[in-house]
Amino acid sequence: MTTAPLRKDAARNWERIVAVARELVDEGTPLQLNDIARRVHMGVGTVYRHFPTAEALLETVATPSLEALTAHGEQALADEDPKRALTDFLTRTIEAQVTDASLSPVTAAPTDALPRTTELKQTLWSVGGQLLERAHDAEVVRTDLTSDDMVPLMCGIAFAASVHGSPAARVETARRYLTALLEGLYVR
Amino acid sequence: MTTAPLRKDAARNWERIVAVARELVDEGTPLQLNDIARRVHMGVGTVYRHFPTAEALLETVATPSLEALTAHGEQALADEDPKRALTDFLTRTIEAQVTDASLSPVTAAPTDALPRTTELKQTLWSVGGQLLERAHDAEVVRTDLTSDDMVPLMCGIAFAASVHGSPAARVETARRYLTALLEGLYVR
Amino acid sequence: MTTAPLRKDAARNWERIVAVARELVDEGTPLQLNDIARRVHMGVGTVYRHFPTAEALLETVATPSLEALTAHGEQALADEDPKRALTDFLTRTIEAQVTDASLSPVTAAPTDALPRTTELKQTLWSVGGQLLERAHDAEVVRTDLTSDDMVPLMCGIAFAASVHGSPAARVETARRYLTALLEGLYVR
Amino acid sequence: MTTAPLRKDAARNWERIVAVARELVDEGTPLQLNDIARRVHMGVGTVYRHFPTAEALLETVATPSLEALTAHGEQALADEDPKRALTDFLTRTIEAQVTDASLSPVTAAPTDALPRTTELKQTLWSVGGQLLERAHDAEVVRTDLTSDDMVPLMCGIAFAASVHGSPAARVETARRYLTALLEGLYVR
DNA sequence: CATGAATGAGCCTTCATTCAT
DNA sequence: AATGAATGAAGGCTCATTCAT
């Protein structure tokens, strides 16, 4: 589904690489294609064929989360309460960022390795922008923050939660920070 | 003034190393002791003698900013208006973080290379904590954020401002983000 | 034949590295992987791929001698004369130690880099132990030296022969020292 | 007493350097003049002035032991029993070698840094040679080992005792090895 | 004499990437 | 397609020795 339909064995290889990369991301190990090749018992060349750079692999690992976020965002657009819609969306975004270590670098990167990533990120920004705009229009949020600020702020909160916190407490911490920010964001 | 009085020539070398390191930090180049030795035309050993690790050098570069922040914080403690004191302190902190690239890593690091750094960071946390506590007591801020959250939040805002923003606009962006956060923080 | 069947070109490289290492050992030069890479005109990485540490390379160089000693030891076990068997074995061991500079460090090392080395050393100790035990049983040797003393004593004699002797005379010297020791060892 | 009478403070420095070097030798730390300078709180230059090389310092550390051995040897020459005299001398030598880590390298070194060392070593060889010769004349030892073999054999035994043995057991082990060797040496 | 800053060769090791098989 | 050997630049760090102060 990435580009061209892969042969069955090639597809299996692709899956195994991504699966192992996912594990590495989860345990905080940096992705090194050599390392991964060893772990999946393939030649480096094979790994390079599937993923020309470590970034491409990382983005592939992040893709499901990005897709899920996008889907949620689109559902939120269907919510008739603009404030709730925005809050839900941002909460999910933050939770995902804090939970999935592949998201922060991919989200914050100024440039992407895969077109699919660019596409997803744009959709996400767009959805976020629309949600914010609706909230603006409904006069439930202040107007000095724009849709361009959504991504940085979410990254910032995720980052804040990762400073000095046990990984276990991160989700809770991030929620608190988001709450504080939202309190500031909402018109009262 | 750092530890022991250096000989005049050694002091000059120390200065040159720190100066070059400062430039590298400003242009976003990672500090590498070998690299620095080449740039200042000294043997690696000389650089290693002055700064046993890259972290020690980075902290040395960051020290003046940390000292300035501490000084400002202590002035803020003298302000009789708790809200203004806190706002001023946080604003300065954020401006410094965004302006001086050496601050973020040093601030966020769980462990320090130099005792002086530890000392300054502790003072800074302490001052921030006191300012927040006063604001609490004066009932001008919400109580669900504690002094332990100050540092992460400041780091988060600085990080947020560095995502997707031209360096030029960063100070302004960071101020806006801080304002939003403060709006959420302040009791209304 | 070491671990996995290597590709032809890789095998050739392996051979060249070991050959050069052999020369260096013979001329008393310490093994340094960088140095070897330069001498065999390969990238450092290639040498590191084949031999992760200098110890691993040294043990590889020593392996043939260890194998030969083991084989001789097993032949000696077939000798019906316990005294002659022990004498032959120790004589060969000493000659090898004095002749091949890779043996002493590998033999004396408390820990090994390659499993094969551990295996060979254990076999060797075991064979030596059995030969000594037989001699004990036949009451041809004193009982205050045990099989645990064989290795140290052989190392000691080899070391003694290397003190103050021209390399040329070492084998002869070592034989004389072994003779003296055996005279003391044998019951009379 | 080394070369020229030192000024009082210089003498004190000399003593401190040697004392620290002694400790390092005892704990198995290699002698590095930089390291020592730091430990005795002197400039490297000062240490270098007193001891131009690490070898010179090591020999200085070893000197008292060498002197003691020499003295004992000369006493042994006064013993009218040639066998006992030789045995005593060799026993003491081995015990010293095993006990004092500075002796082995100095004894085994083909060349010396200090004239005093050369002198002491020669005396020691000479005394050992005389003791052996007397034993020869009294027909209590075999004649295929000569005085030139004394030093290597003592070094070898000390080395053997240091292979695979807990430091605590070394003296005892070395004594056993010496006994075995002497049994082979003595005419029966 | 004492000091200790400076030197820089030299060793170790890693890793992204290429390319022959 | 797959393999994995080879590459070598790059970075890290140590330490014996010199020499300006």
Coordinates of all heavy atoms in Angstrom, one line a residue, chain D residues 17 20-21 24 29-39 44 47-48 53-54 57, chain F residues 14-17:
Chain D
I17 N 57.5 11.3 46.5 CA 57.3 10.7 45.2 C 57.5 9.2 45.3 O 56.7 8.4 44.8 CB 58.3 11.2 44.1 CG1 57.9 12.7 43.8 CG2 58.2 10.4 42.8 CD1 59.0 13.4 43.0
V20 N 54.7 7.4 47.2 CA 53.5 7.2 46.5 C 53.7 6.2 45.4 O 52.8 5.3 45.2 CB 53.0 8.6 45.8 CG1 52.0 8.3 44.8 CG2 52.5 9.5 46.9
A21 N 54.8 6.2 44.8 CA 55.1 5.2 43.7 C 55.1 3.8 44.4 O 54.5 2.8 43.8 CB 56.5 5.4 43.1
L24 N 51.5 2.7 44.7 CA 51.0 2.4 43.4 C 51.4 1.0 42.9 O 50.7 0.2 42.4 CB 51.3 3.4 42.3 CG 50.7 4.8 42.6 CD1 51.2 5.8 41.5 CD2 49.2 4.7 42.5
T29 N 49.0 -0.6 40.2 CA 48.7 0.5 39.3 C 50.0 0.8 38.5 O 51.1 0.9 39.1 CB 48.3 1.7 40.0 OG1 47.2 1.4 40.9 CG2 47.8 2.8 39.0
P30 N 49.9 0.9 37.2 CA 51.1 1.2 36.4 C 51.6 2.6 36.8 O 50.8 3.5 37.0 CB 50.7 1.2 35.0 CG 49.2 1.0 35.0 CD 48.8 0.6 36.3
L31 N 52.9 2.8 36.8 CA 53.5 4.1 37.2 C 53.4 5.1 36.0 O 54.0 4.8 35.0 CB 55.0 3.9 37.6 CG 55.2 3.2 38.9 CD1 56.7 3.2 39.3 CD2 54.3 3.7 40.0
Q32 N 52.7 6.2 36.2 CA 52.7 7.2 35.2 C 53.1 8.5 35.9 O 52.5 9.0 36.8 CB 51.3 7.4 34.6 CG 50.9 6.1 33.9 CD 49.5 6.2 33.3 OE1 48.8 7.2 33.4 NE2 49.0 5.1 32.7
L33 N 54.1 9.2 35.3 CA 54.7 10.3 36.0 C 53.6 11.4 36.2 O 53.6 12.1 37.2 CB 55.9 10.8 35.3 CG 57.1 9.8 35.3 CD1 58.4 10.4 34.8 CD2 57.2 9.1 36.6
N34 N 52.8 11.6 35.2 CA 51.7 12.6 35.3 C 50.8 12.3 36.5 O 50.5 13.2 37.3 CB 50.8 12.6 34.1 CG 51.3 13.6 33.0 OD1 51.4 14.8 33.3 ND2 51.6 13.1 31.9
D35 N 50.4 11.1 36.5 CA 49.5 10.6 37.6 C 50.2 10.9 38.9 O 49.6 11.4 39.9 CB 49.3 9.1 37.3 CG 48.5 8.5 38.4 OD1 47.6 9.2 38.9 OD2 48.7 7.3 38.7
I36 N 51.4 10.5 39.1 CA 52.1 10.6 40.3 C 52.3 12.1 40.7 O 52.1 12.5 41.9 CB 53.5 10.0 40.2 CG1 53.3 8.5 40.3 CG2 54.4 10.4 41.4 CD1 54.5 7.7 40.0
A37 N 52.6 12.9 39.7 CA 52.7 14.4 40.0 C 51.4 14.9 40.7 O 51.4 15.6 41.7 CB 53.0 15.1 38.8
R38 N 50.3 14.5 40.1 CA 49.0 14.9 40.6 C 48.8 14.4 42.1 O 48.5 15.1 43.0 CB 47.8 14.4 39.8 CG 46.5 15.0 40.1 CD 45.4 14.7 39.1 NE 45.8 13.8 38.1 CZ 45.7 12.5 38.2 NH1 45.2 11.9 39.4 NH2 46.0 11.7 37.3
R39 N 49.2 13.1 42.3 CA 48.9 12.5 43.6 C 49.8 13.2 44.7 O 49.4 13.2 45.9 CB 49.2 11.0 43.6 CG 48.2 10.3 42.7 CD 48.5 8.8 42.8 NE 47.7 8.0 41.8 CZ 46.8 7.1 42.1 NH1 46.5 6.8 43.4 NH2 46.1 6.5 41.2
V44 N 54.5 18.2 37.1 CA 55.1 17.1 36.4 C 56.6 17.3 36.3 O 57.4 16.4 36.4 CB 54.6 16.9 34.9 CG1 54.2 15.5 34.7 CG2 53.6 17.9 34.6
V47 N 58.6 16.1 39.1 CA 58.8 14.6 39.1 C 59.8 14.2 38.1 O 60.6 13.4 38.3 CB 57.4 14.0 38.9 CG1 57.5 12.5 38.9 CG2 56.4 14.4 40.0
Y48 N 59.7 14.8 36.9 CA 60.6 14.5 35.8 C 62.1 14.8 36.2 O 63.0 14.1 35.8 CB 60.2 15.2 34.5 CG 59.3 14.3 33.7 CD1 58.0 14.3 33.9 CD2 59.9 13.5 32.6 CE1 57.2 13.5 33.1 CE2 59.1 12.7 31.8 CZ 57.7 12.7 32.1 OH 56.9 11.9 31.3
T53 N 62.5 9.0 33.9 CA 61.6 8.0 33.2 C 60.9 7.3 34.3 O 61.3 7.2 35.5 CB 62.3 7.0 32.4 OG1 63.1 6.2 33.2 CG2 63.1 7.7 31.3
A54 N 59.8 6.6 33.9 CA 59.0 5.8 34.9 C 59.9 4.6 35.3 O 59.8 4.2 36.5 CB 57.8 5.3 34.2
L57 N 62.1 5.6 38.2 CA 61.3 5.6 39.5 C 61.1 4.2 40.0 O 61.2 3.9 41.2 CB 60.0 6.3 39.2 CG 59.0 6.4 40.4 CD1 59.7 6.9 41.7 CD2 57.8 7.3 40.1
Chain F
dT14 P 40.4 9.7 28.8 OP1 40.0 8.9 30.0 OP2 40.3 11.2 28.9 O5' 41.8 9.2 28.3 C5' 42.0 7.9 27.8 C4' 43.4 7.7 27.6 O4' 43.9 8.4 26.4 C3' 44.3 8.1 28.7 O3' 45.3 7.1 28.9 C2' 44.9 9.4 28.2 C1' 45.0 9.2 26.7 N1 44.9 10.3 25.8 C2 45.8 10.5 24.8 O2 46.7 9.7 24.6 N3 45.7 11.6 24.0 C4 44.7 12.5 24.1 O4 44.6 13.5 23.4 C5 43.8 12.4 25.2 C7 42.7 13.3 25.5 C6 43.9 11.3 26.0
dC15 P 46.1 6.9 30.2 OP1 46.2 5.5 30.5 OP2 45.6 7.8 31.2 O5' 47.5 7.4 29.7 C5' 47.9 7.1 28.4 C4' 49.2 7.8 28.1 O4' 49.0 8.9 27.3 C3' 50.0 8.3 29.3 O3' 51.4 8.1 29.0 C2' 49.6 9.7 29.4 C1' 49.6 10.1 27.9 N1 48.7 11.3 27.6 C2 48.9 12.0 26.4 O2 49.9 11.6 25.7 N3 48.1 13.0 26.2 C4 47.1 13.4 27.0 N4 46.4 14.4 26.7 C5 46.9 12.6 28.2 C6 47.7 11.6 28.4
dA16 P 52.4 7.8 30.2 OP1 52.2 6.3 30.4 OP2 52.2 8.7 31.3 O5' 53.8 8.0 29.4 C5' 53.9 7.5 28.1 C4' 54.8 8.5 27.3 O4' 54.0 9.7 26.9 C3' 56.0 9.0 28.0 O3' 57.1 9.1 27.1 C2' 55.6 10.4 28.6 C1' 54.6 10.8 27.5 N9 53.5 11.7 28.0 C8 52.8 11.5 29.1 N7 51.9 12.4 29.3 C5 52.0 13.2 28.1 C6 51.3 14.4 27.7 N6 50.2 14.9 28.4 N1 51.7 14.9 26.6 C2 52.7 14.4 25.9 N3 53.4 13.3 26.2 C4 53.0 12.8 27.3
dT17 P 58.5 9.6 27.6 OP1 59.5 8.9 26.8 OP2 58.6 9.4 29.1 O5' 58.5 11.1 27.3 C5' 58.2 11.5 26.0 C4' 58.2 13.0 25.9 O4' 56.9 13.5 26.4 C3' 59.3 13.8 26.6 O3' 59.9 14.6 25.6 C2' 58.6 14.6 27.7 C1' 57.2 14.8 27.0 N1 56.1 15.0 27.9 C2 55.2 16.1 27.7 O2 55.4 16.8 26.7 N3 54.2 16.3 28.6 C4 54.0 15.6 29.7 O4 53.0 15.9 30.4 C5 54.9 14.5 29.9 C7 54.7 13.6 31.1 C6 55.9 14.3 29.1

